[in-house]
Amino acid sequence: MNRSFVLRTILLSVSCLLISHQAVAQRKWNDKYYETLTDNDFRDFKLFHQPINLKKIDYKVLNAAVFFVSNEARLERGLEALPYNPHLEIMAWNHSKAMGQRDFFDHINKKDKKRKEPKHRAGLAGITNPLIAENISSIGGYRFRSYLELADYLIDGWIDSPPHRKTLYGTDAVQLGCGVYYYTGVWQKNKDIYKQGNGFWLATQNFQLYERVKGKEAKDKGPN
């Protein structure tokens, strides 16, 4: 048999195998993607283009999409991309969840003393040296085709708001974690949106400033 033909066949088989493994890998989020995906390729990542199933939202994928679009915005501004930190994601996601379930929209949680200020929420997320900057957002009455489309909408909203833009583009930030939660009940007395069958997206960005997070085991749990 011609050796060049055998070599081409082997190379083709290896190529198909790699493509197959890549397809399998993109069926479920793994936090290792925070390190392997880049600003140049995250928009091609299949999981970010999934339709959002409101009955089974993949919060890990959604949080990651918001994270990467946040860093894309920073890079476009000439700033450095920020490393992901899981404690910050836990902190952000639980605050978004609390805002939805406890019916408030603020950086201060007056309905739970244990979670009142960012430093308290950071402690529950396992952060022992909290130096936190925070952005929050709420979106009601909109349907989004994909996780990436929702992430783009959120970041555009923060960029369009001067105080939120200042936080997003902060030069003292060293790490980032994002968390979004979908609430389906009546929120902030917005009955019309609820009657339309739409819910509310509550989003939080948490930035660690000046020095990297020092972490221990978190008391709060993050999204599955």
Side-chain angles (χ1 to χ4, degrees):
M1 183 180 292
N2 188 297
R3 291 183 62 187
S4 63
F5 174 77
V6 173
L7 181 59
R8 286 197 300 271
T9 302
I10 292 174
L11 289 174
L12 180 61
S13 298
V14 171
S15 175
C16 290
L17 183 62
L18 289 173
I19 293 172
S20 176
H21 281 312
Q22 184 182 36
V24 170
Q26 289 192 18
R27 290 178 183 172
K28 186 176 181 180
W29 179 259
N30 188 313
D31 281 351
K32 69 180 182 181
Y33 294 139
Y34 279 111
E35 298 180 2
T36 59
L37 290 174
T38 71
D39 181 57
N40 294 322
D41 62 17
F42 83 87
R43 286 191 172 275
D44 295 324
F45 192 65
K46 292 181 180 178
L47 291 182
F48 293 157
H49 292 277
Q50 288 185 110
I52 300 176
N53 181 352
L54 295 178
K55 295 182 179 180
K56 192 175 181 181
I57 297 168
D58 194 330
Y59 285 113
K60 291 294 290 184
V61 170
L62 178 52
N63 295 347
V66 175
F67 171 88
F68 280 103
V69 178
S70 299
N71 268 331
E72 181 183 56
R74 287 179 58 87
L75 289 166
E76 290 173 351
R77 185 80 171 192
L79 301 168
E80 292 184 355
L82 300 174
Y84 161 77
N85 182 272
H87 297 282
L88 292 171
E89 181 190 7
I90 292 172
M91 177 184 174
W93 188 74
N94 278 282
H95 187 55
S96 295
K97 183 178 179 181
M99 287 193 294
Q101 294 183 346
R102 302 300 295 272
D103 194 23
F104 73 97
F105 184 67
D106 203 329
H107 297 285
I108 303 299
N109 183 347
K110 298 178 181 179
K111 300 186 177 182
D112 188 341
K113 292 182 179 180
K114 293 181 180 179
R115 303 174 184 278
K116 184 176 180 180
E117 298 180 17
K119 65 180 180 180
H120 301 134
R121 301 193 290 272
L124 291 171
I127 299 172
T128 61
N129 63 331
L131 298 163
I132 305 296
E134 184 175 80
N135 276 337
I136 58 176
S137 178
S138 65
I139 303 170
Y142 286 84
R143 295 292 181 100
F144 297 93
R145 293 171 295 180
S146 69
Y147 293 102
L148 190 58
E149 183 179 67
L150 171 53
D152 283 332
Y153 192 95
L154 282 167
I155 304 308
D156 285 344
W158 279 323
I159 290 173
D160 289 340
S161 168
H164 296 92
R165 181 170 65 242
K166 183 178 179 180
T167 302
L168 174 60
Y169 293 150
T171 57
D172 295 324
V174 295
Q175 288 173 299
L176 172 63
C178 303
V180 184
Y181 183 76
Y182 184 70
Y183 183 71
T184 58
V186 177
W187 186 77
Q188 297 288 281
K189 299 181 180 179
N190 287 289
K191 295 182 179 180
D192 290 342
I193 291 176
Y194 174 70
K195 290 179 180 179
Q196 292 168 6
N198 295 315
F200 298 86
W201 297 99
L202 291 308
T204 306
Q205 281 178 320
N206 280 135
F207 301 84
Q208 172 75 350
L209 307 180
Y210 308 115
E211 63 181 26
R212 286 178 175 250
V213 165
K214 296 177 182 177
K216 62 180 183 179
E217 185 176 355
K219 293 182 180 180
D220 274 345
K221 295 182 180 180
N224 296 324

